[in-house]
């Protein structure tokens, strides 16, 4: 029996596909969805900007993102020192998280599904697995960014780590 489905949401272009499949399963099984989001720490500034633009909330976070980009921190000389590192404040990351969750909720509007949300401040795979454990998930649904096998072995991927560590069945959506 599937009664709780945790869905990882990150604001990526693939998010609507992941949500649609999770919602279809939830509707068929009468399950509740838990939207799980890990704060986007370490995500390049440009990607945060793109997520905000793609999901239609750039106007609400643009000033915060622009303020972060106005005061870059220079990397150590050992890293070449040529590319400034832009540190986004925890408050801004929380604001982006709230907006990503709100966009996911809008995508699911009109469906007869119970929806809960969780935002975690941890590495993405760890955050998603922890939410699944704490919520007693029967199924975890996550998107795949389609890393090739070699890239996945070198870089690792969130979906691979989740599949390995999850306390329940995992559906990886391509």
């Amino acid at each position: 029996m599937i009664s709780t489905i945790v869905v990882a949401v990150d604001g990526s272009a693939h998010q609507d596909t992941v949500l649609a499949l999770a919602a279809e399963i939830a509707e068929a099984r009468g399950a509740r969805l838990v939207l799980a989001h890990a704060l986007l720490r370490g995500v390049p500034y440009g990607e945060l900007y793109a997520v905000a633009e793609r999901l239609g909330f750039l106007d609400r976070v643009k000033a915060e993102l622009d303020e972060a980009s106005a005061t870059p921190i220079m990397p150590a000389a050992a890293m070449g020192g040529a590319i400034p590192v832009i540190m986004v404040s925890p408050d801004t990351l929380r604001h982006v998280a709230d907006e990503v969750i709100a966009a996911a909720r809008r995508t699911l509007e009109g469906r007869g599904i119970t929806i809960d949300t969780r935002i975690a401040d941890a590495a993405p795979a760890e955050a998603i697995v922890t939410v699944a454990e704490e919520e007693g998930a029967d199924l975890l649904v996550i998107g795949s960014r389609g890393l090739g096998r070699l890239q996945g072995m070198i870089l690792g991927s969130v979906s691979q780590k989740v599949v390995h560590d999850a306390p329940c069945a995992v559906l990886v959506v391509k």
Side-chain angles (χ1 to χ4, degrees):
M1 170 106 183
I2 297 175
S3 62
T4 300
I5 302 171
V6 170
V7 185
V9 293
D10 63 359
S12 67
H14 194 51
Q15 178 172 296
D16 286 350
T17 303
V18 172
L19 287 167
L21 186 54
E24 185 177 321
I25 295 167
E27 286 176 325
R29 301 291 183 167
R32 79 180 172 108
L33 290 182
V34 178
L35 305 178
H37 176 80
L39 292 183
L40 299 174
R41 291 189 186 279
V43 171
Y45 167 82
E47 183 63 21
L48 288 175
Y49 215 87
V51 165
E53 188 170 45
R54 181 174 38 254
L55 295 180
F57 63 87
L58 181 58
D59 58 327
R60 294 188 292 281
V61 297
K62 186 177 185 315
E64 293 172 74
L65 291 174
D66 288 346
E67 182 179 324
S69 70
T71 54
I73 298 169
M74 296 308 291
M79 296 179 65
I83 301 172
V85 175
I86 297 172
M87 300 299 291
V88 178
S89 76
D91 289 342
T92 299
L93 291 175
R94 176 56 92 152
H95 190 172
V96 169
D98 290 339
E99 294 285 354
V100 167
I101 291 288
R105 279 185 169 278
R106 283 190 300 276
T107 298
L108 299 169
E109 279 180 356
R111 297 186 179 239
I113 304 169
T114 300
I115 301 169
D116 294 315
T117 61
R118 296 280 304 274
I119 296 173
D121 189 2
E126 177 188 333
I128 294 162
V129 168
T130 298
V131 170
E133 290 169 346
E134 292 174 355
E135 294 291 336
D138 303 298
L139 178 65
L140 200 156
V141 182
I142 187 169
S144 168
R145 291 188 181 232
L147 288 176
R149 186 178 173 104
L150 182 58
Q151 284 177 307
M153 287 182 351
I154 294 169
L155 301 174
S157 77
V158 173
S159 58
Q160 284 177 326
K161 291 174 186 169
V162 167
V163 166
H164 183 266
D165 296 338
C168 59
V170 179
L171 174 59
V172 179
V173 182
K174 285 188 148 206

